[in-house]
Amino acid sequence: MNFKNQLLAALTLLLCFSSTGLAASVSAVKGQKVLINLDGDVTEVDEEFYLINPSTQKRSAIIRIKQVKGNKALGEIVRGKAADGFTLQAKAPSAMSADAPPETPEEAAPRQSNATGYLRVLKDSWGVLGGYMMNTMDADITYRDSFGISQKASASMSGTGFGFGGFYDYALNNSLVGRGYAAMEQFNVTGSTTEAACNSSTTCDAKINYLSLYGLLKWYPIQDKYRVWLGGGMGYLLALSKSSTALNESEISTNQVFTFGGGLDWQMDRKNYVPVSIEYNMFPASDTVKASTIVIKAGWAWNL
């Protein structure tokens, strides 16, 4: 299985895994107060939510969170009626006003189809990530044989490396996030040719340490305890150190990459979550070199 197929398979697993998130629900109602069982989800004081009647899949009330303690939350009914077993649906910031008119069934249907009970809108955050990098490179190498005649050979190389860095996520709206990411990353590949084309050897390599800067746009189609995103962007790579028998070292300085992939934010509590992602970085191809990287990242992050 090639790297692109591995990436698609991993993204499919992430999507399947995310569908197991549990919805928060009302466990008791007393007057204008509702007791909520969070079922592992997270919320904050003063956040507002719709209550969904599970038998009709229609909105029945708007509540505002007044207190959170452990896996329970206390809410106050702003309008409408509540009952045991009703589930929670995140309320868009543009509709936070208590006197906003109720939506028609046609307007509410797109949101109700995703009413899994997730408890928070996207927020700004920052965190750290470690990465395991799977690198590939195909290079056409020009060399001189023992008679001094210019010859060409091809080398297919692969290898692994590591990366470590930090990111800042800026929430643009309820489903889009812009990410800035800076990291130290290794691009290490080794391969062989049938001819002694790499400094008079059949073994070819490239070992480069980059200072990498990335900008990504992430879209969150699923938001629950496990928030799934898909996205893409670009990266700028500055070579800090380099050695290669397959490439001309004097030509190794900076690079740009196109990156796309997906990830999963596993919310641990109101402030912390575990970001996991799989990303594919493609170097713009030249006449002699083609390179790409698959990166598996995981780390720790804090909501602001």
Side-chain angles (χ1 to χ4, degrees):
M1 181 182 291
N2 61 36
F3 279 166
K4 290 184 179 179
N5 288 338
Q6 289 175 343
L7 178 63
L8 292 173
L11 288 175
T12 301
L13 287 175
L14 283 176
L15 289 170
C16 293
F17 181 68
S18 69
S19 64
T20 62
L22 298 176
S25 61
V26 175
S27 59
V29 180
K30 186 175 182 180
Q32 293 298 106
K33 305 294 184 183
V34 293
L35 183 64
I36 302 162
N37 184 2
L38 296 178
D39 281 338
D41 287 324
V42 290
T43 186
E44 293 181 347
V45 172
D46 289 333
E47 285 190 279
E48 290 188 353
F49 303 94
Y50 295 113
L51 291 187
I52 306 299
N53 185 331
S55 63
T56 63
Q57 286 299 303
K58 293 183 178 180
R59 295 173 180 171
S60 177
I62 296 174
I63 65 168
R64 182 179 295 118
I65 301 300
K66 307 301 292 184
Q67 185 178 353
V68 179
K69 186 174 182 180
N71 199 40
K72 302 289 184 180
L74 181 65
E76 180 181 60
I77 299 174
V78 176
R79 62 185 294 184
K81 295 182 179 181
D84 294 3
F86 281 17
T87 58
L88 274 68
Q89 177 188 6
K91 190 172 183 291
S94 60
M96 291 292 279
S97 173
D99 59 359
E103 291 179 310
T104 65
E106 291 77 16
E107 292 171 330
R111 291 193 184 92
Q112 289 168 356
S113 65
N114 282 330
T116 57
Y118 67 85
L119 282 184
R120 70 184 310 141
V121 295
L122 295 173
K123 293 191 173 182
D124 297 354
S125 62
W126 68 279
V128 293
L129 288 169
Y132 177 71
M133 314 187 72
M134 295 172 283
N135 310 306
T136 62
M137 176 186 287
D138 294 328
D140 294 331
I141 304 165
T142 300
Y143 71 102
R144 292 189 178 276
D145 61 18
S146 57
F147 299 100
I149 300 173
S150 180
Q151 303 284 356
K152 287 188 176 182
S154 297
S156 293
M157 296 168 280
S158 62
T160 60
F162 296 94
F164 182 81
F167 69 86
Y168 183 85
D169 277 2
Y170 180 75
L172 300 172
N173 56 36
N174 286 343
S175 60
L176 292 176
V177 168
R179 166 170 290 185
Y181 176 62
M184 298 291 295
E185 296 180 321
Q186 297 175 322
F187 186 91
N188 297 332
V189 291
T190 303
S192 61
T193 62
T194 57
E195 305 294 335
C198 297
N199 288 358
S200 301
S201 172
T202 58
T203 299
C204 306
D205 64 31
K207 299 178 180 179
I208 310 169
N209 291 321
Y210 284 113
L211 171 62
S212 305
L213 304 174
Y214 294 91
L216 290 88
L217 182 65
K218 304 192 297 174
W219 171 57
Y220 284 81
I222 299 175
Q223 296 183 47
D224 209 314
K225 181 178 179 180
Y226 306 103
R227 300 193 305 272
V228 172
W229 63 266
L230 301 171
M234 295 186 65
Y236 180 81
L237 282 56
L238 174 64
L240 299 180
S241 64
K242 55 199 175 181
S243 66
S244 178
T245 58
L247 306 175
N248 187 339
E249 291 184 12
S250 64
E251 296 179 356
I252 303 174
S253 57
T254 61
N255 254 312
Q256 290 181 329
V257 294
F258 300 99
T259 181
F260 64 90
L264 177 73
D265 295 342
W266 182 3
Q267 196 74 44
M268 307 301 293
D269 53 41
R270 285 182 291 169
K271 292 292 294 183
N272 305 295
Y273 66 92
V274 175
V276 180
S277 65
I278 301 174
E279 299 168 30
Y280 177 76
N281 296 340
M282 180 178 66
F283 291 77
S286 69
D287 293 337
T288 57
V289 178
K290 296 180 181 179
S292 63
T293 299
I294 287 180
V295 190
I296 300 175
K297 296 178 181 176
W300 192 264
W302 297 264
N303 291 311
L304 299 178

